[in-house]
Amino acid sequence: QVQLVESGGGEVQAGGSLRLSCAASRRTISSDAKGWFRQAPGKEREFVAAISGIGTIIYYADSVKGRFTISRDNAKNTVYLQMNRLNSEDTAVYYCTAAGSTATLRSGRYDYWGQGTQVTVAS
C-alpha cells in the first residue's frame, strides 16, 4: 500500500499562484509514476498532469499547459504541482495519484490516490 497525502490548497485571487505537494508513504517501482487529477463541483474528475518515476516524461492537460508545472523530489518521496495564473476554472479538489506508468495514469487507471486538497480561485 502507498499512502498519498496532499497539502498546499487554499483560496487565491485570480491570477495568483499556489503550490501543491503530495507526500508518498513510500516509493514503489510498480506505482512510481505520479500525477494530479482534479474534480470541480458537478463535473467529472479530469487529468491535470503526470510525471514519470525519474521525471523524464511529463504530460499536461491542454487547459493547464504553460501555467502549471509538475515536478518531484524522489529523496523526499514528494511530488509538486506549481500552479500559476490561476483562474476560476481551476477551482476544484485536486487529487494526487500513483500508477505504474504515466500513460496508465493519464487514462485514469491509477492504483493509489490521496484524500484531495481544495483549491478555490476567487474572481
mmCIF file of all heavy atoms in Angstrom, residues 71-123:
data_model
loop_
_atom_site.group_PDB
_atom_site.id
_atom_site.type_symbol
_atom_site.label_atom_id
_atom_site.label_comp_id
_atom_site.label_asym_id
_atom_site.label_seq_id
_atom_site.Cartn_x
_atom_site.Cartn_y
_atom_site.Cartn_z
ATOM 1 N N SER A 71 6.578 18.512 -10.769
ATOM 2 C CA SER A 71 7.960 18.131 -10.500
ATOM 3 C C SER A 71 7.965 17.140 -9.349
ATOM 4 O O SER A 71 6.941 16.925 -8.702
ATOM 5 C CB SER A 71 8.818 19.361 -10.167
ATOM 6 O OG SER A 71 8.331 20.006 -9.003
ATOM 7 N N ARG A 72 9.127 16.545 -9.101
ATOM 8 C CA ARG A 72 9.214 15.594 -7.997
ATOM 9 C C ARG A 72 10.593 15.617 -7.383
ATOM 10 O O ARG A 72 11.585 15.921 -8.063
ATOM 11 C CB ARG A 72 8.845 14.192 -8.458
ATOM 12 C CG ARG A 72 9.745 13.574 -9.493
ATOM 13 C CD ARG A 72 9.142 12.278 -10.037
ATOM 14 N NE ARG A 72 9.036 11.266 -8.987
ATOM 15 C CZ ARG A 72 8.237 10.193 -9.084
ATOM 16 N NH1 ARG A 72 7.480 10.015 -10.150
ATOM 17 N NH2 ARG A 72 8.207 9.296 -8.100
ATOM 18 N N ASP A 73 10.633 15.285 -6.101
ATOM 19 C CA ASP A 73 11.877 15.151 -5.350
ATOM 20 C C ASP A 73 11.865 13.745 -4.779
ATOM 21 O O ASP A 73 11.220 13.486 -3.750
ATOM 22 C CB ASP A 73 11.942 16.211 -4.250
ATOM 23 C CG ASP A 73 13.261 16.165 -3.484
ATOM 24 O OD1 ASP A 73 13.967 15.137 -3.559
ATOM 25 O OD2 ASP A 73 13.564 17.155 -2.816
ATOM 26 N N ASN A 74 12.545 12.819 -5.441
ATOM 27 C CA ASN A 74 12.490 11.420 -5.016
ATOM 28 C C ASN A 74 13.175 11.197 -3.664
ATOM 29 O O ASN A 74 12.852 10.244 -2.962
ATOM 30 C CB ASN A 74 13.095 10.525 -6.082
ATOM 31 C CG ASN A 74 12.178 10.384 -7.282
ATOM 32 O OD1 ASN A 74 10.952 10.568 -7.185
ATOM 33 N ND2 ASN A 74 12.741 10.062 -8.427
ATOM 34 N N ALA A 75 14.087 12.046 -3.308
ATOM 35 C CA ALA A 75 14.728 11.925 -1.996
ATOM 36 C C ALA A 75 13.716 12.166 -0.877
ATOM 37 O O ALA A 75 13.872 11.655 0.234
ATOM 38 C CB ALA A 75 15.878 12.912 -1.883
ATOM 39 N N LYS A 76 12.682 12.934 -1.184
ATOM 40 C CA LYS A 76 11.640 13.235 -0.196
ATOM 41 C C LYS A 76 10.334 12.492 -0.486
ATOM 42 O O LYS A 76 9.338 12.700 0.216
ATOM 43 C CB LYS A 76 11.363 14.740 -0.170
ATOM 44 C CG LYS A 76 12.551 15.586 0.250
ATOM 45 C CD LYS A 76 12.186 17.062 0.272
ATOM 46 C CE LYS A 76 13.358 17.908 0.715
ATOM 47 N NZ LYS A 76 13.026 19.367 0.730
ATOM 48 N N ASN A 77 10.324 11.668 -1.533
ATOM 49 C CA ASN A 77 9.085 10.972 -1.931
ATOM 50 C C ASN A 77 7.931 11.955 -2.087
ATOM 51 O O ASN A 77 6.808 11.690 -1.644
ATOM 52 C CB ASN A 77 8.710 9.891 -0.915
ATOM 53 C CG ASN A 77 9.553 8.643 -1.061
ATOM 54 O OD1 ASN A 77 10.257 8.464 -2.053
ATOM 55 N ND2 ASN A 77 9.506 7.788 -0.050
ATOM 56 N N THR A 78 8.212 13.069 -2.705
ATOM 57 C CA THR A 78 7.214 14.139 -2.808
ATOM 58 C C THR A 78 7.103 14.627 -4.248
ATOM 59 O O THR A 78 8.100 14.750 -4.953
ATOM 60 C CB THR A 78 7.577 15.317 -1.889
ATOM 61 O OG1 THR A 78 7.635 14.847 -0.543
ATOM 62 C CG2 THR A 78 6.545 16.424 -1.977
ATOM 63 N N VAL A 79 5.856 14.877 -4.642
ATOM 64 C CA VAL A 79 5.555 15.433 -5.958
ATOM 65 C C VAL A 79 4.908 16.792 -5.763
ATOM 66 O O VAL A 79 4.146 16.985 -4.805
ATOM 67 C CB VAL A 79 4.610 14.506 -6.746
ATOM 68 C CG1 VAL A 79 4.256 15.104 -8.093
ATOM 69 C CG2 VAL A 79 5.246 13.145 -6.937
ATOM 70 N N TYR A 80 5.210 17.714 -6.656
ATOM 71 C CA TYR A 80 4.692 19.072 -6.534
ATOM 72 C C TYR A 80 3.901 19.460 -7.776
ATOM 73 O O TYR A 80 4.132 18.941 -8.869
ATOM 74 C CB TYR A 80 5.850 20.063 -6.361
ATOM 75 C CG TYR A 80 6.765 19.734 -5.210
ATOM 76 C CD1 TYR A 80 7.955 19.045 -5.415
ATOM 77 C CD2 TYR A 80 6.430 20.108 -3.904
ATOM 78 C CE1 TYR A 80 8.790 18.731 -4.364
ATOM 79 C CE2 TYR A 80 7.261 19.796 -2.845
ATOM 80 C CZ TYR A 80 8.443 19.109 -3.078
ATOM 81 O OH TYR A 80 9.268 18.797 -2.028
ATOM 82 N N LEU A 81 2.992 20.389 -7.578
ATOM 83 C CA LEU A 81 2.286 20.989 -8.707
ATOM 84 C C LEU A 81 2.287 22.490 -8.482
ATOM 85 O O LEU A 81 1.582 23.004 -7.611
ATOM 86 C CB LEU A 81 0.857 20.472 -8.822
ATOM 87 C CG LEU A 81 0.100 20.966 -10.058
ATOM 88 C CD1 LEU A 81 0.711 20.374 -11.327
ATOM 89 C CD2 LEU A 81 -1.389 20.615 -9.975
ATOM 90 N N GLN A 82 3.120 23.189 -9.228
ATOM 91 C CA GLN A 82 3.161 24.642 -9.171
ATOM 92 C C GLN A 82 2.106 25.179 -10.131
ATOM 93 O O GLN A 82 2.134 24.878 -11.321
ATOM 94 C CB GLN A 82 4.541 25.162 -9.571
ATOM 95 C CG GLN A 82 4.654 26.671 -9.611
ATOM 96 C CD GLN A 82 4.528 27.308 -8.251
ATOM 97 O OE1 GLN A 82 5.083 26.832 -7.281
ATOM 98 N NE2 GLN A 82 3.756 28.396 -8.168
ATOM 99 N N MET A 83 1.186 25.966 -9.600
ATOM 100 C CA MET A 83 0.066 26.478 -10.396
ATOM 101 C C MET A 83 0.148 27.997 -10.444
ATOM 102 O O MET A 83 0.072 28.667 -9.411
ATOM 103 C CB MET A 83 -1.255 26.035 -9.780
ATOM 104 C CG MET A 83 -1.359 24.527 -9.578
ATOM 105 S SD MET A 83 -2.977 23.994 -8.987
ATOM 106 C CE MET A 83 -3.027 24.782 -7.386
ATOM 107 N N ASN A 84 0.325 28.523 -11.637
ATOM 108 C CA ASN A 84 0.421 29.971 -11.838
ATOM 109 C C ASN A 84 -0.736 30.461 -12.686
ATOM 110 O O ASN A 84 -1.394 29.689 -13.381
ATOM 111 C CB ASN A 84 1.743 30.318 -12.516
ATOM 112 C CG ASN A 84 2.954 29.927 -11.686
ATOM 113 O OD1 ASN A 84 2.908 29.947 -10.461
ATOM 114 N ND2 ASN A 84 4.039 29.578 -12.360
ATOM 115 N N ARG A 85 -0.964 31.758 -12.638
ATOM 116 C CA ARG A 85 -2.031 32.409 -13.438
ATOM 117 C C ARG A 85 -3.356 31.662 -13.287
ATOM 118 O O ARG A 85 -4.021 31.315 -14.257
ATOM 119 C CB ARG A 85 -1.626 32.511 -14.897
ATOM 120 C CG ARG A 85 -0.306 33.247 -15.104
ATOM 121 C CD ARG A 85 -0.129 33.795 -16.505
ATOM 122 N NE ARG A 85 -0.440 32.854 -17.558
ATOM 123 C CZ ARG A 85 0.436 31.999 -18.062
ATOM 124 N NH1 ARG A 85 1.649 31.939 -17.579
ATOM 125 N NH2 ARG A 85 0.090 31.198 -19.054
ATOM 126 N N LEU A 86 -3.699 31.414 -12.039
ATOM 127 C CA LEU A 86 -4.924 30.662 -11.755
ATOM 128 C C LEU A 86 -6.153 31.460 -12.155
ATOM 129 O O LEU A 86 -6.176 32.701 -12.059
ATOM 130 C CB LEU A 86 -4.980 30.304 -10.277
ATOM 131 C CG LEU A 86 -4.006 29.187 -9.852
ATOM 132 C CD1 LEU A 86 -3.783 29.222 -8.347
ATOM 133 C CD2 LEU A 86 -4.546 27.837 -10.277
ATOM 134 N N ASN A 87 -7.176 30.737 -12.599
ATOM 135 C CA ASN A 87 -8.452 31.369 -12.915
ATOM 136 C C ASN A 87 -9.583 30.555 -12.291
ATOM 137 O O ASN A 87 -9.351 29.473 -11.741
ATOM 138 C CB ASN A 87 -8.626 31.515 -14.432
ATOM 139 C CG ASN A 87 -8.552 30.188 -15.147
ATOM 140 O OD1 ASN A 87 -9.371 29.297 -14.900
ATOM 141 N ND2 ASN A 87 -7.585 30.043 -16.056
ATOM 142 N N SER A 88 -10.784 31.050 -12.398
ATOM 143 C CA SER A 88 -11.917 30.431 -11.704
ATOM 144 C C SER A 88 -12.165 28.999 -12.172
ATOM 145 O O SER A 88 -12.680 28.178 -11.412
ATOM 146 C CB SER A 88 -13.173 31.275 -11.903
ATOM 147 O OG SER A 88 -13.469 31.418 -13.284
ATOM 148 N N GLU A 89 -11.784 28.691 -13.402
ATOM 149 C CA GLU A 89 -11.996 27.337 -13.916
ATOM 150 C C GLU A 89 -11.038 26.323 -13.286
ATOM 151 O O GLU A 89 -11.215 25.121 -13.482
ATOM 152 C CB GLU A 89 -11.860 27.328 -15.434
ATOM 153 C CG GLU A 89 -12.957 28.112 -16.137
ATOM 154 C CD GLU A 89 -12.873 28.008 -17.641
ATOM 155 O OE1 GLU A 89 -11.885 27.460 -18.158
ATOM 156 O OE2 GLU A 89 -13.811 28.482 -18.316
ATOM 157 N N ASP A 90 -10.056 26.801 -12.568
ATOM 158 C CA ASP A 90 -9.137 25.898 -11.861
ATOM 159 C C ASP A 90 -9.674 25.515 -10.496
ATOM 160 O O ASP A 90 -9.067 24.667 -9.815
ATOM 161 C CB ASP A 90 -7.770 26.561 -11.705
ATOM 162 C CG ASP A 90 -7.095 26.845 -13.037
ATOM 163 O OD1 ASP A 90 -7.143 25.958 -13.911
ATOM 164 O OD2 ASP A 90 -6.543 27.951 -13.193
ATOM 165 N N THR A 91 -10.769 26.098 -10.074
ATOM 166 C CA THR A 91 -11.364 25.753 -8.786
ATOM 167 C C THR A 91 -11.829 24.303 -8.801
ATOM 168 O O THR A 91 -12.609 23.898 -9.658
ATOM 169 C CB THR A 91 -12.557 26.678 -8.481
ATOM 170 O OG1 THR A 91 -12.085 28.013 -8.311
ATOM 171 C CG2 THR A 91 -13.272 26.231 -7.216
ATOM 172 N N ALA A 92 -11.309 23.513 -7.861
ATOM 173 C CA ALA A 92 -11.610 22.086 -7.818
ATOM 174 C C ALA A 92 -10.918 21.469 -6.616
ATOM 175 O O ALA A 92 -10.085 22.116 -5.962
ATOM 176 C CB ALA A 92 -11.128 21.394 -9.099
ATOM 177 N N VAL A 93 -11.256 20.213 -6.346
ATOM 178 C CA VAL A 93 -10.475 19.416 -5.414
ATOM 179 C C VAL A 93 -9.399 18.715 -6.235
ATOM 180 O O VAL A 93 -9.697 18.089 -7.253
ATOM 181 C CB VAL A 93 -11.343 18.378 -4.683
ATOM 182 C CG1 VAL A 93 -10.477 17.522 -3.761
ATOM 183 C CG2 VAL A 93 -12.441 19.076 -3.883
ATOM 184 N N TYR A 94 -8.166 18.858 -5.809
ATOM 185 C CA TYR A 94 -7.035 18.283 -6.519
ATOM 186 C C TYR A 94 -6.571 17.015 -5.805
ATOM 187 O O TYR A 94 -6.332 17.026 -4.596
ATOM 188 C CB TYR A 94 -5.895 19.294 -6.613
ATOM 189 C CG TYR A 94 -6.156 20.361 -7.648
ATOM 190 C CD1 TYR A 94 -7.131 21.332 -7.420
ATOM 191 C CD2 TYR A 94 -5.446 20.393 -8.847
ATOM 192 C CE1 TYR A 94 -7.394 22.309 -8.381
ATOM 193 C CE2 TYR A 94 -5.698 21.364 -9.808
ATOM 194 C CZ TYR A 94 -6.671 22.312 -9.565
ATOM 195 O OH TYR A 94 -6.924 23.277 -10.512
ATOM 196 N N TYR A 95 -6.442 15.955 -6.594
ATOM 197 C CA TYR A 95 -6.057 14.655 -6.055
ATOM 198 C C TYR A 95 -4.696 14.231 -6.602
ATOM 199 O O TYR A 95 -4.455 14.305 -7.807
ATOM 200 C CB TYR A 95 -7.078 13.597 -6.436
ATOM 201 C CG TYR A 95 -8.457 13.822 -5.873
ATOM 202 C CD1 TYR A 95 -9.404 14.566 -6.575
ATOM 203 C CD2 TYR A 95 -8.817 13.300 -4.637
ATOM 204 C CE1 TYR A 95 -10.674 14.779 -6.070
ATOM 205 C CE2 TYR A 95 -10.079 13.503 -4.114
ATOM 206 C CZ TYR A 95 -11.002 14.248 -4.830
ATOM 207 O OH TYR A 95 -12.258 14.462 -4.318
ATOM 208 N N CYS A 96 -3.863 13.746 -5.719
ATOM 209 C CA CYS A 96 -2.591 13.156 -6.108
ATOM 210 C C CYS A 96 -2.831 11.678 -6.400
ATOM 211 O O CYS A 96 -3.576 11.017 -5.667
ATOM 212 C CB CYS A 96 -1.585 13.324 -4.977
ATOM 213 S SG CYS A 96 0.040 12.617 -5.310
ATOM 214 N N THR A 97 -2.196 11.167 -7.450
ATOM 215 C CA THR A 97 -2.410 9.778 -7.847
ATOM 216 C C THR A 97 -1.086 9.101 -8.167
ATOM 217 O O THR A 97 -0.079 9.773 -8.441
ATOM 218 C CB THR A 97 -3.311 9.697 -9.084
ATOM 219 O OG1 THR A 97 -2.705 10.447 -10.153
ATOM 220 C CG2 THR A 97 -4.690 10.268 -8.806
ATOM 221 N N ALA A 98 -1.102 7.769 -8.154
ATOM 222 C CA ALA A 98 0.097 6.993 -8.463
ATOM 223 C C ALA A 98 -0.294 5.802 -9.332
ATOM 224 O O ALA A 98 -1.333 5.184 -9.124
ATOM 225 C CB ALA A 98 0.766 6.511 -7.179
ATOM 226 N N ALA A 99 0.583 5.491 -10.287
ATOM 227 C CA ALA A 99 0.334 4.369 -11.191
ATOM 228 C C ALA A 99 1.661 3.831 -11.702
ATOM 229 O O ALA A 99 2.714 4.402 -11.443
ATOM 230 C CB ALA A 99 -0.542 4.821 -12.362
ATOM 231 N N GLY A 100 1.576 2.735 -12.456
ATOM 232 C CA GLY A 100 2.787 2.113 -12.958
ATOM 233 C C GLY A 100 3.472 2.886 -14.068
ATOM 234 O O GLY A 100 4.681 2.748 -14.280
ATOM 235 N N SER A 101 2.716 3.690 -14.794
ATOM 236 C CA SER A 101 3.296 4.470 -15.881
ATOM 237 C C SER A 101 2.489 5.743 -16.074
ATOM 238 O O SER A 101 1.331 5.831 -15.656
ATOM 239 C CB SER A 101 3.297 3.664 -17.181
ATOM 240 O OG SER A 101 1.981 3.518 -17.680
ATOM 241 N N THR A 102 3.085 6.725 -16.722
ATOM 242 C CA THR A 102 2.358 7.966 -16.983
ATOM 243 C C THR A 102 1.196 7.717 -17.939
ATOM 244 O O THR A 102 0.140 8.352 -17.814
ATOM 245 C CB THR A 102 3.294 9.033 -17.575
ATOM 246 O OG1 THR A 102 4.006 8.472 -18.689
ATOM 247 C CG2 THR A 102 4.292 9.512 -16.532
ATOM 248 N N ALA A 103 1.363 6.798 -18.883
ATOM 249 C CA ALA A 103 0.282 6.500 -19.832
ATOM 250 C C ALA A 103 -0.927 5.913 -19.104
ATOM 251 O O ALA A 103 -2.077 6.300 -19.357
ATOM 252 C CB ALA A 103 0.773 5.546 -20.906
ATOM 253 N N THR A 104 -0.660 4.993 -18.196
ATOM 254 C CA THR A 104 -1.735 4.391 -17.400
ATOM 255 C C THR A 104 -2.405 5.445 -16.542
ATOM 256 O O THR A 104 -3.640 5.493 -16.427
ATOM 257 C CB THR A 104 -1.178 3.269 -16.524
ATOM 258 O OG1 THR A 104 -0.543 2.296 -17.336
ATOM 259 C CG2 THR A 104 -2.285 2.616 -15.722
ATOM 260 N N LEU A 105 -1.617 6.282 -15.943
ATOM 261 C CA LEU A 105 -2.158 7.307 -15.062
ATOM 262 C C LEU A 105 -3.029 8.290 -15.837
ATOM 263 O O LEU A 105 -4.121 8.653 -15.385
ATOM 264 C CB LEU A 105 -1.001 8.038 -14.374
ATOM 265 C CG LEU A 105 -1.349 8.897 -13.177
ATOM 266 C CD1 LEU A 105 -0.195 8.917 -12.193
ATOM 267 C CD2 LEU A 105 -1.667 10.308 -13.618
ATOM 268 N N ARG A 106 -2.579 8.715 -17.002
ATOM 269 C CA ARG A 106 -3.351 9.654 -17.807
ATOM 270 C C ARG A 106 -4.718 9.096 -18.177
ATOM 271 O O ARG A 106 -5.690 9.839 -18.326
ATOM 272 C CB ARG A 106 -2.603 10.006 -19.093
ATOM 273 C CG ARG A 106 -1.417 10.897 -18.913
ATOM 274 C CD ARG A 106 -0.688 11.063 -20.230
ATOM 275 N NE ARG A 106 -1.454 11.818 -21.181
ATOM 276 C CZ ARG A 106 -1.163 11.878 -22.479
ATOM 277 N NH1 ARG A 106 -0.139 11.202 -22.956
ATOM 278 N NH2 ARG A 106 -1.892 12.607 -23.303
ATOM 279 N N SER A 107 -4.783 7.794 -18.341
ATOM 280 C CA SER A 107 -6.056 7.177 -18.724
ATOM 281 C C SER A 107 -7.015 7.032 -17.556
ATOM 282 O O SER A 107 -8.145 6.590 -17.728
ATOM 283 C CB SER A 107 -5.793 5.796 -19.343
ATOM 284 O OG SER A 107 -5.373 4.890 -18.339
ATOM 285 N N GLY A 108 -6.556 7.382 -16.380
ATOM 286 C CA GLY A 108 -7.404 7.297 -15.197
ATOM 287 C C GLY A 108 -7.290 5.999 -14.444
ATOM 288 O O GLY A 108 -7.999 5.764 -13.475
ATOM 289 N N ARG A 109 -6.406 5.124 -14.885
ATOM 290 C CA ARG A 109 -6.250 3.830 -14.234
ATOM 291 C C ARG A 109 -5.117 3.894 -13.215
ATOM 292 O O ARG A 109 -4.075 3.259 -13.374
ATOM 293 C CB ARG A 109 -5.998 2.750 -15.283
ATOM 294 C CG ARG A 109 -7.214 2.480 -16.155
ATOM 295 C CD ARG A 109 -6.882 1.455 -17.234
ATOM 296 N NE ARG A 109 -6.034 2.016 -18.263
ATOM 297 C CZ ARG A 109 -5.009 1.372 -18.804
ATOM 298 N NH1 ARG A 109 -4.684 0.170 -18.391
ATOM 299 N NH2 ARG A 109 -4.300 1.943 -19.754
ATOM 300 N N TYR A 110 -5.293 4.713 -12.203
ATOM 301 C CA TYR A 110 -4.256 4.816 -11.177
ATOM 302 C C TYR A 110 -4.524 3.836 -10.036
ATOM 303 O O TYR A 110 -5.645 3.387 -9.833
ATOM 304 C CB TYR A 110 -4.143 6.249 -10.654
ATOM 305 C CG TYR A 110 -5.451 6.989 -10.507
ATOM 306 C CD1 TYR A 110 -6.247 6.840 -9.385
ATOM 307 C CD2 TYR A 110 -5.869 7.884 -11.496
ATOM 308 C CE1 TYR A 110 -7.426 7.538 -9.248
ATOM 309 C CE2 TYR A 110 -7.037 8.594 -11.375
ATOM 310 C CZ TYR A 110 -7.810 8.417 -10.239
ATOM 311 O OH TYR A 110 -8.987 9.120 -10.107
ATOM 312 N N ASP A 111 -3.456 3.496 -9.335
ATOM 313 C CA ASP A 111 -3.525 2.495 -8.274
ATOM 314 C C ASP A 111 -3.825 3.115 -6.916
ATOM 315 O O ASP A 111 -4.455 2.484 -6.068
ATOM 316 C CB ASP A 111 -2.201 1.724 -8.198
ATOM 317 C CG ASP A 111 -1.841 1.049 -9.505
ATOM 318 O OD1 ASP A 111 -2.740 0.446 -10.116
ATOM 319 O OD2 ASP A 111 -0.674 1.132 -9.918
ATOM 320 N N TYR A 112 -3.324 4.311 -6.705
ATOM 321 C CA TYR A 112 -3.487 4.968 -5.403
ATOM 322 C C TYR A 112 -3.870 6.433 -5.621
ATOM 323 O O TYR A 112 -3.506 7.034 -6.626
ATOM 324 C CB TYR A 112 -2.181 4.901 -4.596
ATOM 325 C CG TYR A 112 -1.680 3.503 -4.372
ATOM 326 C CD1 TYR A 112 -0.642 2.986 -5.147
ATOM 327 C CD2 TYR A 112 -2.249 2.691 -3.390
ATOM 328 C CE1 TYR A 112 -0.187 1.693 -4.950
ATOM 329 C CE2 TYR A 112 -1.790 1.402 -3.197
ATOM 330 C CZ TYR A 112 -0.768 0.911 -3.980
ATOM 331 O OH TYR A 112 -0.316 -0.375 -3.783
ATOM 332 N N TRP A 113 -4.576 6.974 -4.646
ATOM 333 C CA TRP A 113 -4.925 8.393 -4.681
ATOM 334 C C TRP A 113 -5.062 8.918 -3.270
ATOM 335 O O TRP A 113 -5.328 8.168 -2.320
ATOM 336 C CB TRP A 113 -6.212 8.620 -5.474
ATOM 337 C CG TRP A 113 -7.387 7.873 -4.982
ATOM 338 C CD1 TRP A 113 -8.342 8.315 -4.122
ATOM 339 C CD2 TRP A 113 -7.753 6.535 -5.317
ATOM 340 N NE1 TRP A 113 -9.274 7.334 -3.904
ATOM 341 C CE2 TRP A 113 -8.940 6.233 -4.623
ATOM 342 C CE3 TRP A 113 -7.198 5.551 -6.149
ATOM 343 C CZ2 TRP A 113 -9.568 5.000 -4.732
ATOM 344 C CZ3 TRP A 113 -7.830 4.319 -6.257
ATOM 345 C CH2 TRP A 113 -9.005 4.054 -5.555
ATOM 346 N N GLY A 114 -4.881 10.215 -3.145
ATOM 347 C CA GLY A 114 -4.966 10.842 -1.831
ATOM 348 C C GLY A 114 -6.376 11.308 -1.529
ATOM 349 O O GLY A 114 -7.313 11.054 -2.287
ATOM 350 N N GLN A 115 -6.498 12.013 -0.415
ATOM 351 C CA GLN A 115 -7.822 12.462 0.026
ATOM 352 C C GLN A 115 -8.248 13.750 -0.658
ATOM 353 O O GLN A 115 -9.418 14.147 -0.575
ATOM 354 C CB GLN A 115 -7.820 12.664 1.549
ATOM 355 C CG GLN A 115 -7.253 13.998 2.042
ATOM 356 C CD GLN A 115 -5.747 14.110 1.899
ATOM 357 O OE1 GLN A 115 -5.064 13.145 1.585
ATOM 358 N NE2 GLN A 115 -5.218 15.299 2.140
ATOM 359 N N GLY A 116 -7.331 14.399 -1.332
ATOM 360 C CA GLY A 116 -7.648 15.612 -2.066
ATOM 361 C C GLY A 116 -7.410 16.875 -1.259
ATOM 362 O O GLY A 116 -7.453 16.870 -0.034
ATOM 363 N N THR A 117 -7.147 17.963 -1.974
ATOM 364 C CA THR A 117 -6.983 19.274 -1.348
ATOM 365 C C THR A 117 -7.748 20.300 -2.184
ATOM 366 O O THR A 117 -7.679 20.286 -3.415
ATOM 367 C CB THR A 117 -5.490 19.650 -1.213
ATOM 368 O OG1 THR A 117 -5.361 20.870 -0.488
ATOM 369 C CG2 THR A 117 -4.803 19.794 -2.561
ATOM 370 N N GLN A 118 -8.486 21.165 -1.497
ATOM 371 C CA GLN A 118 -9.357 22.115 -2.189
ATOM 372 C C GLN A 118 -8.562 23.326 -2.674
ATOM 373 O O GLN A 118 -7.797 23.924 -1.905
ATOM 374 C CB GLN A 118 -10.466 22.579 -1.255
ATOM 375 C CG GLN A 118 -11.385 23.649 -1.835
ATOM 376 C CD GLN A 118 -12.283 23.116 -2.935
ATOM 377 O OE1 GLN A 118 -12.907 22.068 -2.783
ATOM 378 N NE2 GLN A 118 -12.364 23.837 -4.043
ATOM 379 N N VAL A 119 -8.784 23.678 -3.916
ATOM 380 C CA VAL A 119 -8.228 24.909 -4.486
ATOM 381 C C VAL A 119 -9.406 25.763 -4.934
ATOM 382 O O VAL A 119 -10.236 25.313 -5.725
ATOM 383 C CB VAL A 119 -7.301 24.619 -5.675
ATOM 384 C CG1 VAL A 119 -6.918 25.927 -6.373
ATOM 385 C CG2 VAL A 119 -6.049 23.883 -5.205
ATOM 386 N N THR A 120 -9.475 26.969 -4.419
ATOM 387 C CA THR A 120 -10.552 27.881 -4.781
ATOM 388 C C THR A 120 -9.946 29.173 -5.323
ATOM 389 O O THR A 120 -9.116 29.805 -4.658
ATOM 390 C CB THR A 120 -11.435 28.208 -3.570
ATOM 391 O OG1 THR A 120 -11.972 26.987 -3.048
ATOM 392 C CG2 THR A 120 -12.574 29.129 -3.963
ATOM 393 N N VAL A 121 -10.353 29.534 -6.528
ATOM 394 C CA VAL A 121 -9.845 30.748 -7.154
ATOM 395 C C VAL A 121 -10.973 31.766 -7.204
ATOM 396 O O VAL A 121 -12.002 31.538 -7.848
ATOM 397 C CB VAL A 121 -9.318 30.475 -8.568
ATOM 398 C CG1 VAL A 121 -8.733 31.757 -9.162
ATOM 399 C CG2 VAL A 121 -8.268 29.371 -8.544
ATOM 400 N N ALA A 122 -10.776 32.862 -6.502
ATOM 401 C CA ALA A 122 -11.785 33.916 -6.431
ATOM 402 C C ALA A 122 -11.557 34.916 -7.557
ATOM 403 O O ALA A 122 -10.448 35.408 -7.756
ATOM 404 C CB ALA A 122 -11.711 34.610 -5.086
ATOM 405 N N SER A 123 -12.633 35.228 -8.277
ATOM 406 C CA SER A 123 -12.504 36.177 -9.390
ATOM 407 C C SER A 123 -12.802 37.598 -8.945
ATOM 408 O O SER A 123 -13.275 37.819 -7.834
ATOM 409 C CB SER A 123 -13.453 35.776 -10.519
ATOM 410 O OG SER A 123 -14.771 35.682 -10.037
#
